[in-house]
Amino acid sequence: MADTEALLAAWSERSDGEAEAWARARPGPSLESVAGRISRIPQEFLDERISLRALAGDVLGGQIVASRFDDDPRVRQGAAIGLWLVASEGVIEPLEPALASGWAGLAVDALALRVAPVASPSEWTSDDERRTEAARTFLLWCGFLPAGEDAATAASLLAACDSLARNRALADAFEGHRHRAEIARKLAEARRKEAAARYSSE
């Protein structure tokens, strides 16, 4: 099983930061429709014999960062639930707007690397609060606000059920990883601008 801090660090590197996610979020499907589908995940998606890499390839047509940690049951289950949410649009019916029209791969990684390490995915199908946390997190990182909510309301309601925020030690460690990832992004952007300026002056 992977170290929880290592998973949170991988998520910090993968995401652009929560402020960016809230800024780009637009009205999406209802919270109830997404949470309801979490409860209806087929057992085949949770079958440990099925390769997470193959499942992501089939559903998304590409790969997810979580595949690097597929030996961790929490990561595998969290990613499988996220992949089911995307696949369910072809099995049950499309949501409005469709989840696939957002950042579905990023949302799957959010469940696998941000939520699953601190809130066991085995509880998402039976515990209302954990299911709500998973659904709200998935919608945010997919680029959506729950239908009928503005960004301030959605952010407040997600914060109220955020398992990571309740674990102060892990939350502090995550903030350190997030800060380092943000500095790395800013340095990379500065290097990119400097290289472009040099190139244009030659």
Side-chain angles (χ1 to χ4, degrees):
M1 187 179 295
D3 178 70
T4 297
E5 279 196 42
L7 298 175
L8 294 173
W11 170 245
S12 294
E13 292 167 17
R14 169 76 164 108
S15 70
D16 292 329
E18 209 166 285
E20 292 278 335
W22 287 115
R24 70 177 173 237
R26 60 194 194 280
S30 72
L31 178 67
E32 294 74 20
S33 64
V34 176
R37 291 185 186 204
I38 291 174
S39 299
R40 297 169 63 184
I41 182 169
Q43 280 306 118
E44 305 87 76
F45 274 76
L46 299 174
D47 190 334
E48 293 178 5
R49 296 169 297 179
I50 300 203
S51 159
L52 185 56
R53 190 172 296 277
L55 191 58
D58 287 347
V59 173
L60 298 173
Q63 283 311 307
I64 51 176
V65 173
S67 293
R68 295 192 337 233
F69 305 95
D70 65 354
D71 58 336
D72 187 311
R74 301 169 299 175
V75 172
R76 201 208 171 287
Q77 286 183 345
I81 291 171
L83 291 167
W84 157 246
L85 287 173
V86 180
S88 72
E89 295 192 295
V91 177
I92 301 173
E93 64 180 351
L95 292 168
E96 185 55 47
L99 295 175
S101 67
W103 288 268
L106 182 62
V108 171
D109 276 330
L111 289 187
L113 302 173
R114 166 67 169 76
V115 182
V118 293
S120 174
S122 63
E123 298 176 7
W124 299 359
T125 56
S126 59
D127 182 290
D128 286 344
E129 188 173 24
R130 297 290 64 79
R131 183 167 50 253
T132 296
E133 177 184 9
R136 286 189 174 281
T137 300
F138 189 87
L139 282 169
L140 168 63
W141 291 102
C142 204
F144 298 118
L145 299 170
E149 294 181 9
D150 60 21
T153 301
S156 175
L157 291 171
L158 177 54
C161 63
D162 184 357
S163 296
L164 180 58
R166 293 178 184 177
N167 186 323
R168 181 47 40 206
L170 278 176
D172 289 346
F174 175 67
E175 184 57 28
H177 294 305
R178 190 205 60 73
H179 182 65
R180 286 190 291 278
E182 181 63 25
I183 290 171
R185 275 192 289 275
K186 287 180 178 174
L187 287 173
E189 180 63 23
R191 282 195 293 272
R192 204 166 27 256
K193 287 180 179 174
E194 185 181 322
R198 265 201 319 270
Y199 179 78
S200 62
S201 66
E202 290 175 357

